[in-house]
Amino acid sequence: MTVIALAAGGTAGHIEPALACAKAIKEKGSSVEVFIVGTEKGLERTIVPQRGVELAIIPSTPMPRKVNLSLFSLPFRLFAATRIAQQLLRDRKVDCVVGFGAYVSLPVYLAAKKLGVPIIVHEGNKKAGLANRIGSRFAKQVFQMFPGSIKGALTIGMPLRREISTLDKDATRLNARKSFGLASDKKTVLVFGGSQGAAFINQVISESLEQLQKMDIQVLHSIGNKNRVDEATKIYDFYHPVSYIEKMELAYAAADLVVCRAGAMTIAEQTVLAIPAIYIPFASGNGEQRENISELIKDGGGSLILESDLTSNLLVSRIREIFESPTKLAQMSLAAGKHALRDADQKVAESALALASAHK
């Protein structure tokens, strides 16, 4: 039995590519055993089991961004997590490890290196994270979504769910809008702030509704499970807030324009589907979201608003500018589509199966 472990956790941006690859691996090798290694603290605790994939847990080893007590304890925590990951890989007789970055990946990379298990790294962001920078040094194969993220890596795009990568937006649009209670004939703006929502974007959208109602559009807004619908917004019948969108492919099919963060997964989905977007990069972190969209914005495939500049007036003005131009949406769609890269899940799966076979 061939066994492949995928290391991914934290946010959907790391977990979804791993799930897409897990499915591709199983489709290519029915006798292959695939499982995901995560931690107790990330979204993988719920998302992975819901998708029918086995989840193995190791301790979380977050990298502090500031000098504090947690930084001094990091070597000890990383050593302990690596020992646990090593025992897991040994017990499961793992033949290949595929990592997607985030805290969980580094101890799995180190454990695989110690055991001589071949490693594949996939970097989703333009600015590579620490775990993948380290793992890429001794990986057998390194993939990236954006050119230049990791020296020598092969640019293949982002592994995506087939429900999104093969979506026919035009054929699905009417049913998609019906499923969300939307009008079939109105321009539609989809708003979301990532897998957990974005409170500041939610606030600005609420403040924008009075102006947006004059534009004969409708808004589908995923506010995030941790956020509540603003009661004051219920007077606007064109505004449709939901806590979470389970089938993003339907939301994309319904949308003419997206307002969102600039995570790598989001960009990959929207370029594959050629959907114009107004990107509001997450201001915290190491600045990777702004770097993620730099080339796309330069080529006209999206519009950029920095979080520090974001106001209701600016957002409404940008939406009006895009919708009121007869050609703007089509031009943005064409430019976005030129950045699309497909079948990354298939390429990762093929590489993992080849390395696993050679290792046995």
Side-chain angles (χ1 to χ4, degrees):
M1 170 72 77
T2 298
V3 182
I4 297 175
L6 310 177
T11 65
H14 294 291
I15 301 162
E16 290 290 355
L19 288 166
C21 289
K23 185 175 182 179
I25 290 168
K26 290 294 291 181
E27 288 174 349
K28 290 179 178 293
S30 57
S31 62
V32 178
E33 183 179 307
V34 182
F35 67 97
I36 289 178
V37 184
T39 74
E40 292 184 344
K41 298 184 178 181
L43 290 177
E44 64 269 26
R45 287 285 293 182
T46 54
I47 295 177
V48 173
Q50 284 174 357
R51 300 285 183 83
V53 178
E54 180 187 353
L55 177 67
I57 297 295
I58 66 171
S60 176
T61 53
M63 313 293 176
R65 298 186 185 275
K66 298 179 181 179
V67 177
N68 53 31
L69 289 176
S70 183
L71 178 62
F72 293 108
S73 68
L74 176 61
F76 305 100
R77 291 184 286 110
L78 181 58
F79 176 77
T82 302
R83 288 288 298 271
I84 292 170
Q86 191 173 323
Q87 190 64 49
L88 173 66
L89 300 185
R90 185 186 293 115
D91 289 347
R92 299 295 294 268
K93 297 181 172 60
V94 170
D95 297 300
C96 181
V97 161
V98 185
F100 297 85
Y103 304 138
V104 70
S105 293
L106 183 54
V108 179
Y109 292 153
L110 296 174
K113 181 176 184 291
K114 180 77 172 177
L115 296 173
V117 175
I119 299 165
I120 296 172
V121 169
H122 182 278
E123 176 55 55
N125 286 307
K126 179 69 174 177
K127 189 174 183 179
L130 177 62
N132 278 353
R133 292 203 306 270
I134 293 173
S136 66
R137 296 174 185 173
F138 42 82
K140 291 286 187 181
Q141 177 71 67
V142 182
F143 296 115
Q144 61 190 5
M145 173 168 168
F146 300 100
S149 296
I150 297 177
K151 187 177 180 180
L154 181 63
T155 303
I156 63 169
M158 180 71 77
L160 298 175
R161 289 190 298 124
R162 288 276 141 180
E163 291 87 347
I164 287 178
S165 63
T166 62
L167 176 68
D168 184 333
K169 295 201 312 289
D170 292 336
T172 312
R173 176 155 293 172
L174 288 179
N175 285 336
R177 288 184 175 175
K178 184 178 179 180
S179 72
F180 290 110
L182 301 170
S184 62
D185 57 349
K186 283 191 175 184
K187 285 283 189 288
T188 303
V189 180
L190 168 64
V191 183
F192 63 94
S195 55
Q196 301 183 67
F200 183 56
I201 292 178
N202 292 354
Q203 177 188 330
V204 173
I205 290 294
S206 295
E207 294 168 355
S208 304
L209 295 177
E210 185 174 351
Q211 297 181 72
L212 290 174
Q213 72 174 335
K214 303 171 185 177
M215 293 177 58
D216 193 31
I217 64 172
Q218 56 193 348
V219 178
L220 174 62
H221 185 186
S222 177
I223 64 173
N225 284 328
K226 296 181 180 180
N227 301 307
R228 293 185 177 182
V229 175
D230 183 347
E231 291 295 318
T233 66
K234 292 184 176 181
I235 63 172
Y236 300 104
D237 59 4
F238 74 96
Y239 176 63
H240 303 261
V242 295
S243 293
Y244 180 73
I245 298 175
E246 182 67 33
K247 294 187 176 182
M248 277 302 294
E249 63 271 18
L250 293 182
Y252 283 136
D256 296 289
L257 176 69
V258 177
V259 176
C260 58
R261 292 299 196 187
M265 174 65 68
T266 298
I267 295 167
E269 291 174 343
Q270 288 162 198
T271 53
V272 161
L273 296 173
I275 299 178
I278 297 172
Y279 292 103
I280 306 165
F282 189 49
S284 299
N286 61 4
E288 71 271 13
Q289 289 206 356
R290 188 170 180 181
E291 292 195 32
N292 286 348
I293 54 167
S294 59
E295 293 299 316
L296 182 61
I297 297 299
K298 185 174 74 174
D299 293 342
S303 180
L304 170 67
I305 299 179
L306 298 181
E307 187 168 309
S308 57
D309 296 333
L310 182 62
T311 64
S312 59
N313 287 336
L314 177 58
L315 181 61
V316 171
S317 173
R318 199 68 59 88
I319 292 172
R320 181 181 291 115
E321 174 191 336
I322 292 170
F323 278 150
E324 290 185 353
S325 167
T327 59
K328 186 71 171 178
L329 267 180
Q331 289 171 347
M332 290 178 71
S333 176
L334 183 63
K338 289 180 179 178
H339 282 254
L341 291 172
R342 298 180 181 276
D343 299 325
D345 58 329
Q346 303 299 309
K347 292 168 185 174
V348 173
E350 289 165 4
S351 181
L353 287 167
L355 287 174
S357 177
H359 177 258
K360 291 190 73 66

